[in-house]
Amino acid sequence: MSEPLAPGATIGIIGGGQLGRMLSVAAAQLGYPCHIYAPEESPCATDVAQKHIRGDYEDKATLAAFAAAVDVLTYEFENVPAGPLRALANEKPLHPNLDALELAQDRLSEKDFVAGLGGKPAGYRAVSSLADLETALADMGTPAILKTRRFGYDGKGQVRITDVANAGTAWQEVGEQPAVLESFVDFEKEFSILLVRSANGETRIWDPPENRHQDGILAHSLAPGSGIIADQTASASDLARRIAEKLDYVGVLTCEFFASREGPIFNEMAPRVHNSGHWTIEGAITSQFENHIRAICGLPLGETALTADRIEMHNLVGAEADDWLSWLKKDRAHLHLYAKGEARPGRKMGHVTQLF
Ligand code: AMP
C-alpha cells in the first residue's frame, strides 16, 4: 500500500453529527485537523473541528472545493448521495469506498450481497407495489416487517404487519416507495460486529456488544455480549470479515445481527463508526473512532481488547441528557454530551459509558 498519511495532513469528514464530532476528537489526538462538510448552520462536529464547509450534499462545486483542501475523505452517515461523491473520489482517497457506501444505502442489494457471501438475512422479498406486497405476504405470512429500501434509520421507514388486511395502510405508511418485506425474526438478543480494516487487509474486531433498543432507537450496548452472542461471535465475525474483504473495505464497518436459535441472522450494515461502538472510547484499548482514523490514514491499527470486565453504554436520548450531573457523580462513568442544543424527543444528545 501507499505511504501512510503523516500527522498534520487534513481529514475531510462529510456529515456533521456526533459521529463526526467523535471522529474529529480522535483525529486531533493523533495530530490531524478535520474539515467538516455539512449543510446545517452549526452542526455539533464543527465545535471540535478546524473548519466547517457549509454546503448541500448535492452541491458539486462546494464539494470539490472542500475536497481540494483536504488529504483524505470519509463520511459519518450513509445517506450522503453517492453520485456527487464520484468525482471527488477521483481527486482524493475516499474511505470507505463508494461500492460500500452504495451497497449500504439499499437494503435489498445489501441482503442479496450478504446472502451471496453465505450470510443469513431474515427471509425477504423485494416489494415495489401494493400487489407485490400482497403476494409477498401471502407467501411469507405474518408477522412481517415492511422496510423502505433507502433512507431508513433508528426504526424509521418501517412498519410491522401482523394482519394481511393491513397491507394497504402499511404500503402507504412507508410512502409507497421501493421496499423490502422481511419475516419477523424470533431472536433472543441483538448484537453488532464492529470491525476495522486497513488498506493492506489488516483486520481487527472488537468484542461484540449486545444492543438493546427502545422505540426503535438504540438505548444500551453491553460489552462483551454473553450467552448466545458469545456462541455466535465466531460465525458473525467471519461473515463481517468476508464482507469487508469482498468490498476491499477501509475503515470501520458495523454489521448488526439477531442472535436466534437458527444462528446469527444478518440485519443490516453501516459503512461507518456506529452508536453500538461508542463504549470503545473508554472500554477498549483503541476506540472505533481512533481506529477509523488510523485505517483511512494508512497507519497501523490499534489493539481492540477490552479495558474492563464489563462495559455498559447508555444513550442519553432527549431529556435524559438533563441527568448529566448525576452521571458525573458516579465512579467509572464517562459522560459524553454532543452539545446539540435543543433536547427534542428521540434526539441523541449524548451517552455514558460505565466500566465494571
Ligand atoms: P433496523 O432499522 O432494520 O435496524 O430495525 C430496527 C429494529 O427493529 C431492530 O434493531 C430490531 O429490534 C427490530 N427489527 C428489525 N427487523 C426485524 C426483524 N426482521 N425481525 C424482528 N425484529 C426486527
Side-chain angles (χ1 to χ4, degrees), residues 255-291:
C255 295
E256 294 183 67
F257 290 90
F258 302 120
S260 79
R261 279 183 296 277
E262 290 83 57
I265 306 290
F266 170 88
N267 180 22
E268 60 179 358
M269 62 183 247
R272 54 169 171 79
V273 288
H274 193 261
N275 195 170
S276 65
H278 288 1
W279 59 271
T280 60
I281 297 177
E282 294 89 7
I285 303 279
T286 314
S287 76
Q288 60 166 350
F289 301 102
E290 178 174 338
N291 260 345

Side-chain angles (χ1 to χ4, degrees), residues 51-66:
K51 266 197 184 155
H52 174 203
I53 288 75
R54 194 173 177 196
D56 191 89
Y57 294 123
E58 301 276 3
D59 178 351
K60 289 186 184 158
T62 311
L63 276 168
F66 162 73

Side-chain angles (χ1 to χ4, degrees), residues 107 122 145 147 153-155 158 182-185 187 190 213 216 256 258 267-268:
R107 282 188 192 274
I145 303 190
K147 300 182 179 179
Y153 70 99
D154 284 348
Q158 51 182 272
E182 265 182 47
S183 334
F184 197 80
V185 179
F187 60 80
E190 294 187 69
H213 296 80
E256 294 183 67
F258 302 120
N267 180 22
E268 60 179 358

Side-chain angles (χ1 to χ4, degrees), residues 11-91:
I11 298 172
I13 302 177
I14 300 166
Q18 64 269 21
L19 301 179
R21 181 179 172 98
M22 289 183 272
L23 282 169
S24 299
V25 170
Q29 189 182 325
L30 291 173
Y32 300 91
C34 291
H35 290 187
I36 304 290
Y37 188 96
E40 298 86 5
E41 192 180 336
S42 57
C44 72
T46 59
D47 293 351
V48 295
Q50 189 181 60
K51 266 197 184 155
H52 174 203
I53 288 75
R54 194 173 177 196
D56 191 89
Y57 294 123
E58 301 276 3
D59 178 351
K60 289 186 184 158
T62 311
L63 276 168
F66 162 73
V70 303
D71 297 292
V72 62
L73 292 161
T74 190
Y75 45 89
E76 60 107 55
F77 81 126
E78 64 273 32
N79 289 332
V80 195
L85 295 191
R86 203 161 292 286
L88 303 194
N90 295 328
E91 301 299 319

Side-chain angles (χ1 to χ4, degrees), residues 336-356:
H336 296 253
L337 292 176
Y338 309 146
K340 285 181 168 178
E342 198 195 342
R344 291 194 294 272
R347 195 173 196 203
K348 291 175 180 170
M349 303 302 292
H351 73 268
V352 176
T353 299
Q354 286 187 286
L355 306 182
F356 296 94

Side-chain angles (χ1 to χ4, degrees), residues 1-5 10-15 23 66 70-78 80 85 88-102 196-201 244 247-253 270-273 289 291-299 301:
M1 72 166 272
S2 52
E3 286 293 295
L5 198 57
T10 303
I11 298 172
I13 302 177
I14 300 166
L23 282 169
F66 162 73
V70 303
D71 297 292
V72 62
L73 292 161
T74 190
Y75 45 89
E76 60 107 55
F77 81 126
E78 64 273 32
V80 195
L85 295 191
L88 303 194
N90 295 328
E91 301 299 319
K92 291 286 159 68
L94 170 73
H95 301 302
N97 63 42
L98 281 170
D99 288 347
L101 175 66
E102 288 187 297
V196 59
R197 185 175 183 274
S198 65
N200 65 10
L247 290 169
D248 200 14
Y249 195 93
V250 174
V252 169
L253 169 71
R272 54 169 171 79
V273 288
F289 301 102
N291 260 345
H292 185 76
I293 298 295
R294 287 184 183 224
I296 68 172
C297 292
L299 310 178
L301 300 180

